[in-house]
Amino acid sequence: MTAMNAMVTETEIVLSMDTLVSKRLPEGNIEPSYFTQKFEILPFAKSIIAGTGSFGVIELAISLARKMLVRDVTTLARILSDYLRDRDNSDLLPGKSTATVYIFGFDKGGKTRAYALRSTADFSVNEVASTDNPNTLLKPQPDNKQHLQELTNYVRDSDARIDERFVQIMRKQKEWDDALEDTNENKVGIGGENTLVSIADDFQQVALFKIDIFPDYEEQYKFCLKHVDVKY
């Protein structure tokens, strides 16, 4: 499960994600499992793949994309969608698990595009932002209107640097997520570090930054180390 925030403008895409992978136990509790990079930069496809929900689906999408003969984000999204729709994904989506694969990048004309492939929609291609339709994605997005307005204010704070805005957004998301009971089905389990990647000018510019370390990183790391699963 994942925290993922993205801003898609006319010429640039900025993506911010945490590094903690949490797992849902059979009894319903969610707990830290391990830390990893949750997105993949694909220069040959002028794209970035990320996702939310069941991480196994995201890992599969990344693995597939590395082997595809594509040069733009739109083609990548269509081929990935076709594969995931034809595959039996029940092994990666146990019980009520869901997943959404997000694909950000540039099309053949150099325009920004962002697509969502949702398991709940049979992984069909859904464009969620573009050069002609700039948008900000906030995951998890709070149901509380006051909380949503607070995050929106950070997005619109033109006086703050872009990295500062993404730090504050995820700090708030983690604060609200931590307050949920471990058995709450909406709990994500946010933690580790906040990593930001920016792509611009038809993928001619790429930048990667570690912009934040959460205060409970050490505590979560020790928990994961104590409960590590050595089945590789």
Side-chain angles (χ1 to χ4, degrees):
M1 297 187 179
T2 297
M4 186 201 80
N5 301 302
M7 186 180 297
V8 180
T9 72
E10 290 86 349
T11 59
E12 182 182 18
I13 297 170
V14 182
L15 173 69
S16 162
M17 301 190 75
D18 74 328
T19 58
L20 175 64
V21 176
S22 298
K23 62 181 179 181
R24 181 80 60 181
L25 301 178
E27 56 268 28
N29 287 17
I30 191 169
E31 68 177 26
S33 183
Y34 62 95
F35 300 91
T36 190
Q37 176 179 300
K38 297 181 179 180
F39 58 86
E40 183 80 359
I41 302 172
L42 304 168
F44 63 90
K46 300 194 296 184
S47 303
I48 299 174
I49 292 185
T52 60
S54 177
F55 194 61
V57 174
I58 315 308
E59 288 181 308
L60 174 62
I62 289 172
S63 177
L64 290 169
R66 289 174 180 156
K67 306 169 187 175
M68 290 181 179
L69 182 61
V70 295
R71 297 196 300 177
D72 68 279
V73 66
T74 304
T75 304
L76 176 60
R78 289 173 179 168
I79 295 177
L80 265 180
S81 172
D82 287 344
Y83 183 89
L84 292 172
R85 294 178 73 176
D86 291 341
R87 183 184 185 277
D88 179 6
N89 296 295
S90 57
D91 57 326
L92 301 176
L93 294 168
K96 298 181 180 179
S97 300
T98 63
T100 300
V101 177
Y102 287 95
I103 308 172
F104 304 90
F106 296 89
D107 65 16
K108 293 178 181 178
K111 291 187 176 182
T112 59
R113 302 280 180 185
Y115 300 101
L117 281 55
R118 299 181 175 90
S119 63
T120 54
D122 198 25
F123 294 106
S124 59
V125 178
N126 178 32
E127 185 175 281
V128 292
S130 67
T131 292
D132 301 321
N133 180 35
N135 195 14
T136 299
L137 308 178
L138 302 171
K139 307 294 178 182
Q141 181 171 303
D143 295 327
N144 183 300
K145 291 184 179 180
Q146 184 176 347
H147 288 176
L148 181 58
Q149 184 59 54
E150 190 169 352
L151 296 188
T152 302
N153 291 341
Y154 286 129
V155 171
R156 295 174 178 172
D157 184 6
S158 57
D159 292 331
R161 296 196 317 265
I162 189 70
D163 60 318
E164 294 173 337
R165 285 183 264 174
F166 277 95
V167 166
Q168 293 302 319
I169 288 169
M170 196 173 292
R171 283 273 180 155
K172 278 298 179 182
Q173 288 171 318
K174 177 170 172 56
E175 175 188 325
W176 300 327
D177 190 70
D178 285 349
L180 298 175
E181 295 290 335
D182 288 341
T183 54
N184 191 309
E185 63 179 11
N186 294 319
K187 190 177 182 71
V188 174
I190 300 170
E193 301 169 333
N194 186 348
T195 305
L196 182 145
V197 58
S198 171
I199 56 176
D201 297 334
D202 198 18
F203 221 91
Q204 297 302 307
Q205 297 184 37
V206 182
L208 179 65
F209 306 94
K210 180 168 68 177
I211 59 175
D212 196 19
I213 302 175
F214 295 110
D216 60 353
Y217 183 22
E218 189 67 21
E219 177 186 344
Q220 290 180 331
Y221 179 81
K222 289 179 178 178
F223 180 91
C224 293
L225 193 61
K226 184 178 179 180
H227 298 84
V228 66
D229 184 350
V230 293
K231 296 177 183 178
Y232 294 112

